[in-house]
């Protein structure tokens, strides 16, 4: 049986879920953002650059990026999860850090740290991608020097179709093979900073999926850009 | 294709293309990627002839030589004091720069600056590893007693001070408070308690509305309303020299 129609009623296999994003949602943080795609929502808060403790973690040649990904205990299907870091959250924290680090320019902050906290109050698949998108807006909002934003969304295969932005129902599709491939990209150069996979996919379909997902990135980039621009209404300082 | 893709004073986000072709030069906060100039941080793009730079809207203060900043003493060492500069890096206030008094060998340095004291000091030197030296020798550099301290975005400090100090002296005149603004975004306010609160409220308002043009007039109206007294015009303010300016 082939997969003919998307479970949540989206028109095409490349259509993304509705996205909303907002910068500056946490007053006390140096930078913050909210990013929601479908029913997956992420908050990100950035603190720093600030002094790094313990001191043995300091890097004398550049600043360090530290990410912390946490899913709220009530965020998923209602199964209570123990709060705090688990094996999965630690892994995602690490891949998030590696996805964001290539665009950051922390040369001017030796021995310092930029802390990124990502929290997901609501999840419906694609949570690491939503977290990376939120974190990237928050880092820009915090004024951290960076070459570009990072856009992230998942792609993959459901049954016999290559799709973009899977939700949980699609990940759980049981009438055929399923693969879930979270991807993060630097929009200006097209380089990928995150590429993981669950499930199985043929080489041909993988290439097709990566091509489709790159096209979807622009949509996400525009949302991120507008979130930042909306926070700072136009008009310059008179005194500068 | 070549030329600008944005206007002067536009808000730009990291990665945004500012200009195409080789006709423009990248300056602070921008970089060149192939034949485009792109933004390297969030801020206002400024075009100055052929040079494009970015004025940041957020981010931490980075200390520069000769900046006057307000710091907090957090440690007393053998040969001086360590002060919190409210940046990622702490600064060193050496014994000879800390006071004009003669310090006996082996004296208790807390007699001069106790942990928790706020001081107004000047940056003497910043190294590539961001080791900072500060001094308290200079006009107006002193310990700050009493009063209240608030922190504002350091990029808004020029706006809070205003042209020739117009903004801050207006707040001073209206509230009767003494106000000092450090380049690192720490502001000290000292006066009557109610007036301190009003001064802080005003400074926060300036910080929040810094992008609005004609802000000095808005703030003047706001202060006249709150204090119920008429403020003098700018020209008269200027003729009154005040020592607290920085």
């Amino acid at each position: 049986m082939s997969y003919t129609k998307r479970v949540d009623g989206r028109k095409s296999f490349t259509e993304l879920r509705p996205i909303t994003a907002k910068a500056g949602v946490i007053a006390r943080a140096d930078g913050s953002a909210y990013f929601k795609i479908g029913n997956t929502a992420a908050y990100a808060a950035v603190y720093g650059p600030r002094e790094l403790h313990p001191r043995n973690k300091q890097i004398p040649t550049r600043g360090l990026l530290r990410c912390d990904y946490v899913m709220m205990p009530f965020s998923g299907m209602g199964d209570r999860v123990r709060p705090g870091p688990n094996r999965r959250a630690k892994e995602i924290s690490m891949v998030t850090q590696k996805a964001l680090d290539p665009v950051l320019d922390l040369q001017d902050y030796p021995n310092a740290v930029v802390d990124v906290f990502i929290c997901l109050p609501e999840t419906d698949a694609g949570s690491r991608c939503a977290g990376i998108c939120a974190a990237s807006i928050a880092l820009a909002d915090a004024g951290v020097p960076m070459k570009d934003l990072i856009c992230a969304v998942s792609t993959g295969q459901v049954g016999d179709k290559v799709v973009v932005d899977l939700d949980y129902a699609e990940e759980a599709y049981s009438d055929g093979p399923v693969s879930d491939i979270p991807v993060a990209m630097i929009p200006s150069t097209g380089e990928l900073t995150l590429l993981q996979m669950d499930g199985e996919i043929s080489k041909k379909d993988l290439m097709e999926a990566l091509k489709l997902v790159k096209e979807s990135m622009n949509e996400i980039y525009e949302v991120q850009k507008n979130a930042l621009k909306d926070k700072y209404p136009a008009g310059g300082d008179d005194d500068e | 294709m070549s030329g600008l893709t944005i206007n002067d004073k536009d808000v730009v986000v990291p990665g945004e293309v500012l200009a195409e072709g080789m006709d423009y030069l990248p300056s602070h906060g921008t970089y060149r990627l192939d034949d485009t100039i792109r933004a390297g941080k969030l801020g206002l793009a400024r075009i100055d002839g052929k040079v494009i730079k970015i004025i940041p809207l957020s981010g931490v203060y980075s200390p520069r030589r000769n900046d006057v900043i307000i710091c907090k003493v957090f440690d007393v060492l053998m040969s001086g004091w360590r002060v919190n500069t409210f940046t990622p890096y702490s600064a060193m206030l050496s014994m000879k720069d800390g006071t004009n008094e003669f310090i006996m060998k082996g004296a208790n340095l807390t007699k001069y600056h106790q942990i928790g004291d706020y001081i107004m000091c000047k940056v003497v030197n910043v190294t590539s590893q961001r080791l900072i030296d500060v001094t308290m020798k200079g006009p107006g550099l002193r310990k700050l007693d009493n009063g209240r301290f608030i922190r504002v975005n350091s990029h808004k400090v020029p706006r809070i001070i205003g042209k020739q100090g117009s903004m801050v002296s207006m707040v001073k005149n209206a509230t009767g408070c003494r106000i000092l603004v450090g380049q690192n975004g720490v502001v000290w306010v000292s006066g009557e308690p109610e007036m301190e609160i009003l001064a802080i409220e005003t400074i926060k308002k300036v910080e929040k509305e810094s992008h609005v043009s004609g802000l000095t007039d808005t703030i003047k109206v706001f202060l006249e309303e709150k204090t119920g007294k008429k403020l003098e015009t700018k020209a008269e303010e200027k003729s009154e020299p005040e020592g607290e300016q920085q």
Side-chain angles (χ1 to χ4, degrees):
Chain A
M1 210 179 93
S2 84
Y3 185 62
T4 49
K5 209 170 163 207
R6 295 195 82 165
V7 180
D8 62 354
R10 271 179 276 174
K11 298 273 182 316
S12 79
F13 290 109
T14 53
E15 189 182 334
L16 303 178
R17 292 173 282 175
I19 309 173
T20 46
K22 196 171 185 300
V25 289
I26 296 157
R28 289 191 63 92
D30 294 320
S32 59
Y34 173 72
F35 187 90
K36 184 169 187 191
I37 179 160
N39 290 326
T40 302
Y43 283 98
V46 171
Y47 291 86
R50 61 181 179 183
E51 213 178 335
L52 172 54
H53 289 294
R55 288 189 65 155
N56 67 349
K57 294 273 190 306
Q58 292 185 349
I59 311 168
T61 52
R62 54 162 294 169
L64 173 75
L65 174 70
R66 212 161 41 173
C67 295
D68 186 37
Y69 163 104
V70 173
M71 244 164 82
M72 305 285 359
F74 50 79
S75 64
M77 307 299 288
D79 311 324
R80 204 194 106 88
V81 189
R82 278 223 277 164
N86 49 34
R87 193 209 59 79
R88 176 177 175 276
K90 277 184 199 162
E91 179 204 313
I92 296 179
S93 302
M94 189 202 73
V95 297
T96 302
Q97 188 261 327
K98 293 207 185 299
L100 294 167
D101 206 38
V103 288
L104 293 187
D105 179 15
L106 297 175
Q107 302 280 328
D108 286 343
Y109 302 102
N111 296 326
V113 66
V114 177
D115 273 316
V116 179
F117 298 99
I118 301 163
C119 218
L120 293 112
E122 200 182 345
T123 57
D124 183 18
S127 69
R128 73 193 69 189
C129 294
I132 289 168
C133 289
S136 144
I137 303 172
L139 282 164
D141 181 36
V144 177
M146 55 202 287
K147 283 190 298 196
D148 209 339
L149 298 172
I150 292 278
C151 307
V153 73
S154 68
T155 181
Q157 188 187 28
V158 178
D160 54 350
K161 294 287 189 317
V162 173
V163 299
V164 174
D165 191 21
L166 286 78
D167 64 9
Y168 188 77
E170 287 179 321
E171 272 187 18
Y173 183 77
S174 54
D175 294 340
V178 174
S179 57
D180 170 33
I181 307 170
V183 180
M185 189 177 90
I186 307 174
S188 60
T189 59
E191 289 167 295
L192 301 185
T193 61
L194 169 77
L195 184 64
Q196 292 185 296
M197 182 167 84
D198 263 351
E200 53 179 283
I201 194 166
S202 70
K203 187 180 173 190
K204 188 179 134 280
D205 286 342
L206 176 64
M207 289 307 161
E208 171 71 10
L210 291 179
K211 206 182 108 225
L212 292 178
V213 79
K214 279 193 178 183
E215 284 162 18
S216 303
M217 291 295 183
N218 283 334
E219 216 176 301
I220 294 174
Y221 181 67
E222 286 303 314
V223 174
Q224 290 178 310
K225 201 163 106 176
N226 291 336
L228 285 165
K229 293 203 174 187
D230 287 348
K231 191 191 167 189
Y232 299 97
D237 281 19
D238 278 350
D239 290 330
E240 302 216 80
Chain B
M1 202 161 73
S2 74
L4 288 171
T5 50
I6 45 112
N7 298 315
D8 197 25
K9 287 190 178 180
D10 273 0
V11 177
V12 294
V13 303
E16 193 169 347
V17 179
L18 307 178
E20 286 169 341
M22 292 295 175
D23 294 346
Y24 288 88
L25 296 167
S27 181
H28 294 289
T30 63
Y31 68 98
R32 186 177 280 289
L33 181 77
D34 302 330
D35 62 348
T36 57
I37 294 176
R38 288 171 185 264
K41 59 166 66 169
L42 180 80
L44 292 175
R46 292 310 302 268
I47 299 147
D48 185 11
K50 292 217 157 298
V51 178
I52 307 179
K53 67 171 181 179
I54 287 184
I55 296 164
L57 290 165
S58 55
V60 296
Y61 163 76
S62 59
R64 275 173 312 190
R65 189 180 286 189
N66 290 334
D67 273 2
V68 176
I69 57 178
I70 296 175
C71 300
K72 187 183 184 184
V73 178
F74 74 90
D75 200 3
V76 181
L77 315 172
M78 194 69 121
S79 59
W81 300 266
R82 257 204 113 77
V83 295
N84 182 352
T85 57
F86 302 96
T87 71
Y89 308 97
S90 62
M92 177 75 194
L93 176 66
S94 73
M95 193 155 28
K96 77 172 166 38
D97 288 329
T99 171
N100 283 323
E101 288 170 50
F102 174 73
I103 302 177
M104 286 284 283
K105 197 170 182 185
N108 181 3
L109 290 185
T110 55
K111 261 189 4 201
Y112 305 94
H113 300 297
Q114 181 58 264
I115 291 173
D117 281 355
Y118 279 87
I119 55 169
M120 183 119 195
C121 51
K122 193 162 91 178
V123 178
V124 183
N125 198 12
V126 185
T127 71
S128 64
Q129 289 303 306
R130 298 294 182 274
L131 302 172
I132 308 163
D133 276 338
V134 293
T135 179
M136 286 185 69
K137 285 187 174 168
L141 304 182
R142 59 189 179 89
K143 186 182 286 189
L144 303 174
D145 293 320
N146 312 318
R148 294 161 193 249
F149 295 89
I150 56 165
R151 285 184 68 187
V152 296
N153 181 341
S154 64
H155 300 286
K156 310 282 188 197
V157 165
R159 199 69 163 119
I160 288 165
I161 294 171
K163 280 182 187 131
Q164 275 106 41
S166 58
M167 188 73 85
V168 73
S169 58
M170 185 168 73
V171 182
K172 277 185 209 165
N173 286 346
T175 61
C177 290
R178 292 188 295 164
I179 301 172
L180 289 172
V181 187
Q183 287 294 323
N184 58 345
V186 182
V187 182
W188 174 74
V189 180
S190 172
E192 292 296 316
E194 305 83 50
M195 286 299 148
E196 279 179 0
I197 291 166
L198 176 61
I200 287 170
E201 196 183 335
T202 316
I203 291 164
K204 289 278 183 197
K205 194 174 158 73
V206 175
E207 186 196 9
K208 205 170 145 217
E209 297 175 16
S210 63
H211 55 277
V212 182
S213 56
L215 185 62
T216 318
D217 297 329
T218 323
I219 295 298
K220 193 177 163 201
V221 173
F222 172 79
L223 282 171
E224 279 174 348
E225 226 170 68
K226 287 278 182 177
T227 56
K229 59 183 180 190
K230 196 94 184 79
L231 288 178
E232 300 145 48
T233 59
K234 257 189 210 167
E236 281 166 317
E237 270 172 34
K238 261 182 206 164
S239 63
E240 231 180 282
E242 269 214 61
E244 296 279 39
Q245 222 77 65
Q246 76 108 4

